[in-house]
Amino acid sequence: MVTSPILSELGTEILIPICAVIGIIFSLFQWYLVSQVKLTVEKPAAGDGKNGFTEALIEEEEGVNDHAVVQKCAEIQNAISEGATSFLFTEYQYVGIFMVIFAVLIFVFLGSVEGFSTSSKICTYDATRMCKPALMTAVFSTVSFLLGAITSVVSGFLGMKIATYANARTTLEARKGVSKAFIVAFRSGAVMGFLLAANGLLVLYITINLFKIYYGDDWEGLFESITGYGLGGSSMALFGRVGGGIYTKAADVGADLVGKVERNIPEDDPRNPAVIADNVGDNVGDIAGMGSDLFGSYAESSCAALVVASISSFGNTHDFTSMMYPLTVSSVGILVCLITTLFATDFFEVKTVEQIEPSLKNQLIISTVLMTIGIAIVSWIALPSSFTIFNFGAQKVVKNWQLFLCVGVGLWAGLIIGFVTEYYTSNAYSPVQDVADSCRTGAATNVIFGLALGYKSVIIPIFAIAISIFVSFSFAAMYGVAVAALGMLSTIATGLAIDAYGPISDNAGGIAEMAGMSHRIRERTDALDAAGNTTAAIGKGFAIGSAALVSLALFGAFVSRAEITTVDVLTPKVFIGLLVGAMLPYWFSAMTMKSVGKAALKMVEEVRRQFNTIPGLMEGTAKPDYATCVKISTDASIKEMIPPGALVMLTPLIVGILFGVETLSGVLAGSLVSGVQIAISASNTGGAWDNAKKYIEAGVSEHAKSLGPKGSDPHKAAVIGDTVGDPLKDTSGPSLNILIKLMAVESLVFAPFFATHGGLLFKLF
């Protein structure tokens, strides 16, 4: 018995776009608040209310009215912003060419399924009805692919613009205290988080409604063509992540090795030629890359859920409200994150350095608790009390409370993964302190301890993912897994806000150092940055955990779509796929790591050359040539992002065409299983090494003081560990989660083609 949900169709059509618009308005409001910090010199108003006079005194003491400092900050910010913009434009030109070629491929492959015929065909899952021709699905899939790609690129670009707008403002606010600086950095992160979540939701919702005008009752074809949206989002994210990751780490490794280890100058010292490239890199890798990546996850989990729902009772009875359940969950997520953000910026003020990290952690807890209530309400009003879900050829009866548990288990698994990541990468806990302690005996022991920490940090997240898969699959088959992934991503606005906060504070510290601000200000920005490192690791944990669930959901949709009833590991076709699939993440990591190494080598040589040949550079009387270093990073990353990108994009096509859908299902399963492990261990190892170095540099505890100061032998060993970990945590690790998702969504989009024309090699024998 299928009842109808409480929320009417009209209610759904109003609720989703309104939540998205609220998200966009809120992010613009936060941006307006950030823009109130001026990058020009202003005189403090006399007797400005309650403490205008005392504030003016503090500002005099800190040299706030120093015209030169503000001017310098504005100049540095300008250089970083220009570098990031020019890099992204160059990257997007190459990616644009790829986008056009791939769009043509989608059209040709999907159009040829029925031999480009324009007549209606019998529906795949309901033989009594007629569906729109395959040729039209090819056209609409191509359109949604381009829409997803453009939205992804715009998300990344806007994030980068906001981050480069806010970095110098955070530095200037740091002169007035930690709390002011924290609020600017956090608000700017929120701008990015809300813009991205709301844009992704709005574009997807509008696309579905526009496609519906043509498709009418044929929901199976409609939601099949929507899967292109996820493919577009993720394929852009791959290039953004890999290209940005190579850029940022080439500059970072080059700057650290020559600057800190050889020349003994501090990080972000203006004498270091690679310093601008390093700060540009934080924006193109961690912000633009991360933005596109999480947008891709969000788009794909929505698409996976919609595909499975369209062939379940929701689709068969044309129940629009239940069908839009994944989007309703996301739209309530935007409202929840909005309330959560106010806790950090308005309800509770961060007054001391110690409160920074707890405040960011509370963001995760508050959003998770509120979201649980939100999901309960949505499941109650937007779903019928009982319905059926397509489960590999059969229909499984599901109750609405079971679907609530599916989303809830994904949401809480995300929180667990976040906290485990934090435990292993924050220098407040013993794992990182042990790694720091191992630096006493040199770099080798540091590397050994760091690798061990990374491998160990995989255990609990994998159990969390496994349990959530088991629970959600038991209740609602593959649809359950898809909504569990959506649950993990439902608080994406908050997750992105605390994630983008990291690179913004990192840049703020760099600007403070380059503008020659006082030691006290640098201490404040360092404290913001250390918390940001941990939150960045938490963000990567979320991205990897959700990628595992998304990929499994897409895998399920692919298997249903390719009409495979069982995937049998004992057949050689599938088993060889498993082996090859498990190898792919290693091949991919090898490519990205080597690319960073090669680019860093060029960077080190250039930085050394400048130190050796420019007279007066070490004394600070001559200016280094920043532009050459920026060019090295740009050229290297554009050139080096093509091979790993091609590996990921071509594998499913080659396997599907030559070996068929069964082998491809093996490849997808293999890459999922091995990719998740490598991704978690790589990003946690890198994060731990970075924070072990920061732990020694900050010298807060007695233990840390015994290892430091900067320039001591243990500190140099820590810098080497940090340098080794850089490509792990910022290039290979985060790109792997895109590899896992992208191969699955690509297989899903091309499934009809592989099912009809694939497996050429096996057909020959």
Side-chain angles (χ1 to χ4, degrees):
M1 164 64 196
V2 177
T3 52
S4 60
I6 299 171
L7 185 68
S8 69
E9 187 168 326
L10 180 68
T12 311
E13 283 177 0
I14 295 169
L15 177 73
I16 296 174
I18 280 194
C19 289
V21 170
I22 290 173
I24 291 170
I25 292 169
F26 181 72
S27 74
L28 293 175
F29 174 63
Q30 295 291 328
W31 178 79
Y32 166 74
L33 291 175
V34 173
S35 70
Q36 293 308 294
V37 180
K38 295 285 180 271
L39 274 180
T40 50
V41 183
E42 287 175 3
K43 281 271 167 279
D48 182 21
K50 51 179 196 282
N51 57 358
F53 189 62
T54 48
E55 264 199 8
L57 278 176
I58 298 170
E59 291 183 11
E60 288 300 337
E61 182 193 343
E62 282 285 6
V64 171
N65 299 332
D66 189 348
H67 291 257
V69 168
V70 180
Q71 189 63 38
K72 196 96 187 267
C73 282
E75 279 171 23
I76 298 165
Q77 181 208 23
N78 211 19
I80 294 174
S81 182
E82 277 174 15
T85 310
S86 78
F87 168 72
L88 286 181
F89 272 131
T90 317
E91 180 184 64
Y92 293 156
Q93 281 166 3
Y94 284 85
V95 170
I97 300 167
F98 156 81
M99 211 159 83
V100 173
I101 296 171
F102 212 75
V104 173
L105 270 186
I106 294 177
F107 176 70
V108 172
F109 278 20
L110 291 183
S112 67
V113 172
E114 302 273 330
F116 294 102
S117 93
T118 48
S119 55
S120 294
K121 59 178 173 92
I122 295 169
C123 293
T124 318
Y125 299 101
D126 184 357
T128 56
R129 302 214 328 271
M130 295 303 281
C131 281
K132 301 288 186 211
L135 185 65
M136 290 320 288
T137 303
V139 172
F140 282 106
S141 293
T142 310
V143 171
S144 61
F145 166 75
L146 292 171
L147 277 173
I150 291 163
T151 314
S152 179
V153 163
V154 169
S155 304
F157 186 73
L158 286 177
M160 183 280 300
K161 273 297 188 206
I162 292 149
T164 51
Y165 181 81
N167 51 18
R169 289 174 163 77
T170 306
T171 312
L172 293 179
E173 287 293 275
R175 297 173 311 179
K176 300 176 191 167
V178 169
S179 74
K180 291 272 202 314
F182 171 78
I183 285 179
V184 169
F186 187 79
R187 282 208 161 116
S188 327
V191 176
M192 174 178 174
F194 283 92
L195 262 186
L196 193 132
N199 272 344
L201 179 65
L202 199 59
V203 175
L204 180 59
Y205 180 74
I206 292 170
T207 312
I208 290 172
N209 278 309
L210 290 177
F211 283 16
K212 218 165 91 185
I213 298 170
Y214 168 77
Y215 276 102
D217 282 353
D218 174 16
W219 282 18
E220 184 190 301
L222 165 62
F223 290 104
E224 192 177 301
S225 59
I226 288 287
T227 51
Y229 185 70
L231 176 61
S234 246
S235 52
M236 295 304 106
L238 175 73
F239 290 108
R241 249 313 186 198
V242 175
I246 293 169
Y247 185 105
T248 173
K249 290 303 116 180
D252 197 354
V253 171
D256 281 359
L257 282 182
V258 184
K260 283 194 206 164
V261 179
E262 292 177 9
R263 295 279 170 171
N264 257 337
I265 57 176
E267 190 165 358
D268 297 316
D269 190 295
R271 293 171 292 180
N272 194 331
V275 69
I276 294 282
D278 184 7
N279 280 297
V280 169
D282 290 335
N283 293 299
V284 294
D286 295 351
I287 299 255
M290 186 72 186
S292 295
D293 179 2
L294 278 174
F295 165 74
S297 278
Y298 165 72
E300 284 161 342
S301 53
S302 305
C303 292
L306 291 168
V307 168
V308 181
S310 69
I311 52 181
S312 305
S313 65
F314 300 160
N316 299 340
T317 56
H318 293 97
D319 178 354
F320 187 71
T321 301
S322 316
M323 191 67 215
M324 288 294 119
Y325 176 73
L327 276 78
T328 318
V329 169
S330 304
S331 38
V332 171
I334 291 176
L335 301 183
V336 165
C337 292
L338 194 152
I339 298 164
T340 310
T341 303
L342 298 177
F343 276 95
T345 54
D346 297 86
F347 301 152
F348 298 106
E349 198 178 337
V350 171
K351 292 193 174 64
T352 61
V353 170
E354 288 75 43
Q355 291 174 334
I356 299 171
E357 211 164 298
S359 175
L360 292 167
K361 272 163 63 179
N362 289 342
Q363 285 288 298
L364 289 174
I365 298 170
I366 295 166
S367 63
T368 305
V369 171
L370 291 177
M371 194 61 210
T372 309
I373 303 165
I375 298 165
I377 297 168
V378 170
S379 305
W380 177 54
I381 63 166
L383 288 172
S385 56
S386 163
F387 45 89
T388 63
I389 293 290
F390 183 81
N391 179 23
F392 299 124
Q395 292 281 358
K396 180 183 172 86
V397 177
V398 182
K399 303 271 194 288
N400 59 0
W401 60 266
Q402 291 175 312
L403 214 48
F404 157 68
L405 289 178
C406 293
V407 187
V409 76
L411 179 66
W412 284 90
L415 187 68
I416 292 168
I417 292 172
F419 278 150
V420 171
T421 310
E422 194 234 3
Y423 173 71
Y424 280 107
T425 55
S426 164
N427 51 28
Y429 304 104
S430 60
V432 171
Q433 291 171 9
D434 290 347
V435 171
D437 193 58
S438 70
C439 294
R440 287 174 195 279
T441 46
T445 40
N446 179 25
V447 169
I448 294 168
F449 269 71
L451 287 171
L453 175 145
Y455 297 148
K456 196 175 168 190
S457 70
V458 174
I459 302 168
I460 300 172
I462 292 296
F463 276 120
I465 293 170
I467 292 167
S468 50
I469 288 171
F470 183 77
V471 170
S472 52
F473 195 92
S474 307
F475 280 142
M478 275 302 173
Y479 187 69
V481 179
V483 290
L486 262 178
M488 202 178 272
L489 291 165
S490 58
T491 52
I492 183 175
T494 296
L496 261 172
I498 63 174
D499 201 70
Y501 155 88
I504 292 170
S505 335
D506 192 354
N507 260 214
I511 291 174
E513 180 75 49
M514 283 186 269
M517 289 181 159
S518 74
H519 180 61
R520 282 195 12 219
I521 293 173
R522 183 68 220 224
E523 272 176 6
R524 287 172 192 164
T525 54
D526 275 352
L528 290 173
D529 183 22
N533 253 348
T534 304
T535 57
I538 293 175
K540 287 178 189 125
F542 261 97
I544 296 163
S546 62
L549 291 176
V550 169
S551 175
L552 183 64
L554 290 164
F555 178 67
F558 161 72
V559 171
S560 308
R561 188 67 201 82
E563 296 165 57
I564 308 171
T565 42
T566 52
V567 177
D568 183 0
V569 186
L570 295 175
T571 55
K573 275 185 189 179
V574 177
F575 194 78
I576 56 169
L578 266 177
L579 277 177
V580 172
M583 174 274 299
L584 287 172
Y586 289 91
W587 189 0
F588 181 81
S589 300
M591 284 177 161
T592 48
M593 294 285 286
K594 184 126 189 262
S595 301
V596 172
K598 273 161 53 181
L601 203 68
K602 285 184 192 144
M603 189 65 82
V604 167
E605 283 165 359
E606 173 58 27
V607 176
R608 275 184 191 153
R609 184 194 67 76
Q610 292 198 25
F611 274 126
N612 293 334
T613 58
I614 298 177
L617 182 54
M618 271 306 281
E619 293 71 40
T621 50
K623 279 186 87 169
D625 172 13
Y626 297 127
T628 310
C629 291
V630 172
K631 188 172 181 337
I632 289 178
S633 262
T634 304
D635 294 349
S637 54
I638 297 292
K639 190 169 116 242
E640 301 283 350
M641 75 179 182
I642 311 286
L647 172 73
V648 179
M649 299 302 286
L650 295 177
T651 303
L653 292 178
I654 294 169
V655 175
I657 293 169
L658 296 181
F659 301 94
V661 282
E662 279 151 324
T663 309
L664 181 53
S665 63
V667 169
L668 295 179
S671 66
L672 166 63
V673 169
S674 84
V676 175
Q677 331 280 338
I678 305 175
I680 297 175
S681 65
S683 66
N684 289 350
T685 296
W689 275 328
D690 195 345
N691 272 343
K693 176 204 68 175
K694 288 227 167 51
Y695 174 74
I696 294 174
E697 286 175 355
V700 178
S701 65
E702 286 305 311
H703 175 231
K705 285 194 182 104
S706 71
L707 295 166
K710 289 185 183 179
S712 65
D713 283 344
H715 177 247
K716 282 190 171 166
V719 171
I720 292 173
D722 172 37
T723 315
V724 175
D726 271 337
L728 283 173
K729 79 174 192 319
D730 288 325
T731 314
S732 295
S735 309
L736 277 173
N737 61 47
I738 305 180
L739 167 132
I740 305 168
K741 296 178 305 194
L742 188 53
M743 285 179 27
V745 72
E746 191 182 335
S747 307
L748 172 61
V749 170
F750 288 112
F753 176 77
F754 295 151
T756 33
H757 301 303
L760 296 179
L761 279 184
F762 292 136
K763 283 176 185 166
L764 295 175
F765 303 121

